[in-house]
């Protein structure tokens, strides 16, 4: 019998797909893009190159990337930390323009956005690479891969928008890995999406510099930002990032009036101290406002933290109560389908406005973005 072999590239791609399926509680059809074998035929020269506007040439052909706070200095022929940007003869290039390795049609609740066009579909895209290395990453097979090692689609921005329309998606999401690293692709997608009245949304780690973020905000409608912990030590030890940079991003998004939701993954024994969670909630209320939706999500053992247990439900519920106690109006628990903390209630009259189970919306009591009972305006994007 012939033995079937699989290349590292196929393996990584297929692992990425499995992880993305496992991350969701509800599966959706794959977008009809070239099958694995067809896409494989397009492998040669498949990395999309585009000169980045976010670098400064230094002496001796060295460049400094100014896209994220890591500020990588990169020699000729080398790549930055995120693996998708390369110094080619003193010019700094993105290698993933138009070449996503993950393309899905997801419910927008999966991003998770709970205050953006509930119960609609989001055309969701990621390339390989990331500018952090979180020990709990659920998509590490693609986030920590080079684009050379994943199986990539040839999907220019205009085709993304076309496919989003065909699949009746009301938004295009850059997600699964850190979208900052494919910003050139996102900017063009966002510009074209706006012309077609399709929202551009991201799920991001917020580790981006001020100037590129300002550019992005011009085409961005909503951002879901991971606030992974509330100490610099946690960020340094578990993510290789920095808390200060993420807090600055959150404030900039507020200044730019981009609808923002926050995700905090609670990892047992790492960032589950209620004093820390209280301080984080207080910061959110005072710096961003009480109506910013906050999602506490349950950790499952993955990647470099396989030895830990899943977050106890009691810990998540304690965080939920702490956030409500601190005055946050929209607090949710994620990865706990069926829990009462999945629903949205009116902060004024306490009427249940949106009832959810997992990613499914079961009931919607909003009229033009207001509580249908007392007329209280609810933060979010409820129509385009
Ligand atoms: S975007 Fe990538 S190359 Fe640029 S500074 Fe960040 S990690 Fe380095």
């Amino acid at each position: 019998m012939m033995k079937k072999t699989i290349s590292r590239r196929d393996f990584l791609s297929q692992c990425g797909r499995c992880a993305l399926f496992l991350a969701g509680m509800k599966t959706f059809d794959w977008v009809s893009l070239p099958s694995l074998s067809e896409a494989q035929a397009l492998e040669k020269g498949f990395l999309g190159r585009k000169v980045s506007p976010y670098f400064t040439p230094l002496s001796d052909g060295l460049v400094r990337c100014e896209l994220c706070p890591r500020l990588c200095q990169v020699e000729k022929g080398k790549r930055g930390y995120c693996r998708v940007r390369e110094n080619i003869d003193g010019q700094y290039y993105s290698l993933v323009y138009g070449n996503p390795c993950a393309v899905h049609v997801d419910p927008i609740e999966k991003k998770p956005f709970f205050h953006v066009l509930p119960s609609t579909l989001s055309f969701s895209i990621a390339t390989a690479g990331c500018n952090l290395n979180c020990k709990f990453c659920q998509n590490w097979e693609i986030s920590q891969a080079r684009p050379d090692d994943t199986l990539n689609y040839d999907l220019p921005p205009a085709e993304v928008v076309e496919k989003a329309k065909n699949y009746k998606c009301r938004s295009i999401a850059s997600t699964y890995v850190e979208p900052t690293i494919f910003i050139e692709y996102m900017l063009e997608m966002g510009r074209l999406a706006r012309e077609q009245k399709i929202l551009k949304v991201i799920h991001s780690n917020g580790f981006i510099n001020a100037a590129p973020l300002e550019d992005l905000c011009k085409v961005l409608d909503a951002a879901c930002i991971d606030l992974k912990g509330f100490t610099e030590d946690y960020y340094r030890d578990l993510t290789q990032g920095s808390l200060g940079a993420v807090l600055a991003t959150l404030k900039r998004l507020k200044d730019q009036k981009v609808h923002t939701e926050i995700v905090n993954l609670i990892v047992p024994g790492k960032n589950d101290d209620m004093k820390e969670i209280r301080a984080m909630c207080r910061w959110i209320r005072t710096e961003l406002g009480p109506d910013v939706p906050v999602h506490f999500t349950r950790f499952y053992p993955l990647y470099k933290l396989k030895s830990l247990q899943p977050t106890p439900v009691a810990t998540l519920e304690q965080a939920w109560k702490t956030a409500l106690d601190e005055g946050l109006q929209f607090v949710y628990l994620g990865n706990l389908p069926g829990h009462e903390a999945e629903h949205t209630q009116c902060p004024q009259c306490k009427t249940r406005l949106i009832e959810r189970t997992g990613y499914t919306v079961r009931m919607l009591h909003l009229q033009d973005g207001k509580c249908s009972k007392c007329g209280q305006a609810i933060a979010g994007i409820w129509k385009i």
Side-chain angles (χ1 to χ4, degrees):
M1 199 167 78
M2 261 188 33
K3 195 174 162 194
K4 198 174 173 202
T5 57
I6 183 166
S7 68
R8 174 178 157 76
R9 183 184 173 101
D10 286 351
F11 173 75
L12 284 167
S13 173
Q14 288 172 26
C15 283
R17 283 148 195 259
C18 290
L20 293 168
F21 268 129
L22 287 171
M25 304 245 173
K26 183 173 177 180
T27 54
F28 276 73
D29 288 340
W30 281 101
V31 171
S32 105
L33 290 167
S35 69
L36 281 180
S37 56
E38 283 168 320
Q40 207 174 357
L42 296 171
E43 174 180 338
K44 198 156 187 233
F46 209 54
L47 304 188
R49 278 190 194 175
K50 189 159 188 89
V51 178
S52 169
Y54 306 110
F55 80 95
T56 301
L58 304 174
S59 55
D60 299 327
L62 201 67
V63 299
R64 183 179 58 231
C65 178
E66 281 157 0
L67 182 50
C68 89
R70 210 170 285 289
L71 296 174
C72 297
Q73 295 202 9
V74 185
E75 294 169 19
K76 275 188 189 173
K78 302 274 191 224
R79 294 190 190 173
Y81 174 97
C82 57
R83 305 174 175 89
V84 304
R85 300 180 166 268
E86 186 166 316
N87 179 343
I88 302 172
D89 292 331
Q91 295 283 301
Y92 207 43
Y93 284 82
S94 158
L95 301 177
V96 286
Y97 187 90
N99 286 163
C101 64
V103 181
H104 301 247
V105 173
D106 287 338
I108 193 144
E109 283 76 14
K110 187 176 171 183
K111 301 301 107 194
F113 280 111
F114 276 16
H115 288 228
V116 178
L117 303 181
S119 202
T120 60
L121 296 174
S122 193
F123 196 86
S124 304
I125 279 197
T127 71
C130 189
N131 59 355
L132 297 185
N133 185 349
C134 301
K135 289 182 175 168
F136 41 76
C137 184
Q138 65 182 13
N139 296 325
W140 63 270
E141 293 95 338
I142 57 172
S143 72
Q144 302 306 314
R146 290 160 59 95
D148 333 37
D149 294 330
T150 54
L151 192 61
N152 306 310
Y153 294 111
D154 184 8
L155 205 60
E159 275 187 44
V160 173
V161 176
E162 202 48 42
K163 287 202 180 290
K165 265 170 64 186
N166 293 345
Y167 281 88
K168 304 205 179 334
C169 295
R170 306 286 303 281
S171 58
I172 295 173
S174 302
T175 181
Y176 309 131
V177 301
E178 175 46 39
T180 294
I181 56 123
F182 56 91
I183 189 167
E184 296 83 0
Y185 189 28
M186 266 203 298
L187 290 174
E188 186 58 7
M189 264 189 259
R191 192 183 67 74
L192 296 172
R194 195 153 278 187
E195 287 175 4
Q196 299 294 328
K197 294 196 170 10
I198 295 173
L199 296 184
K200 179 77 195 79
V201 305
I202 58 170
H203 184 154
S204 166
N205 62 27
F207 199 56
I208 181 171
N209 283 339
L213 177 60
E214 211 170 287
D215 290 345
L216 185 58
C217 285
K218 289 178 190 147
V219 298
L220 189 64
D221 298 289
C224 189
I225 301 293
D226 288 326
L227 183 50
K228 295 172 192 271
F230 207 62
T231 65
E232 287 295 351
D233 285 353
Y234 181 83
Y235 260 88
R236 189 192 55 241
D237 298 345
L238 277 96
T239 76
Q240 297 186 10
S242 93
L243 172 64
V246 179
L247 298 183
T249 291
L250 284 166
K251 288 209 233 176
R252 287 185 187 115
L253 288 168
K254 177 183 163 67
D255 292 345
Q256 299 284 330
K257 298 187 175 29
V258 174
H259 170 77
T260 300
E261 304 196 18
I262 291 174
V263 176
N264 176 244
L265 176 79
I266 302 185
V267 183
K270 304 289 183 189
N271 65 349
D272 57 355
D273 182 319
M274 287 303 143
K275 279 198 205 117
E276 239 172 76
I277 289 175
R278 185 174 288 282
M280 180 178 74
C281 295
R282 198 166 291 170
W283 185 91
I284 293 170
R285 177 173 47 79
T286 53
E287 297 294 335
L288 308 178
D291 56 357
V292 172
V294 173
H295 306 252
F296 292 108
T297 56
R298 189 178 202 193
F299 161 87
Y300 284 96
L302 276 168
Y303 191 33
K304 296 181 181 172
L305 295 183
K306 286 208 187 79
S307 60
L308 298 185
Q309 292 297 309
T311 322
V313 174
T315 306
L316 289 154
E317 288 176 335
Q318 227 183 331
W320 182 47
K321 285 180 186 142
T322 301
L324 292 172
D325 188 47
E326 276 301 318
L328 296 184
Q329 295 172 342
F330 304 109
V331 187
Y332 303 105
L333 297 185
N335 292 343
L336 274 185
H339 196 282
E340 62 171 315
E342 288 189 309
H343 312 310
T344 301
Q345 74 171 25
C346 173
Q348 187 67 32
C349 70
K350 309 300 176 202
T351 295
R352 188 173 285 182
L353 299 175
I354 308 175
E355 195 170 299
R356 307 177 183 84
T357 305
Y359 304 135
T360 305
V361 172
R362 304 214 171 274
M363 188 230 12
L364 195 58
H365 272 320
L366 276 170
Q367 269 178 354
D368 297 330
K370 293 180 181 157
C371 169
S372 53
K373 188 165 176 205
C374 75
Q376 169 76 25
I378 306 297
I381 302 175
W382 308 107
K383 63 176 180 188
I384 304 180

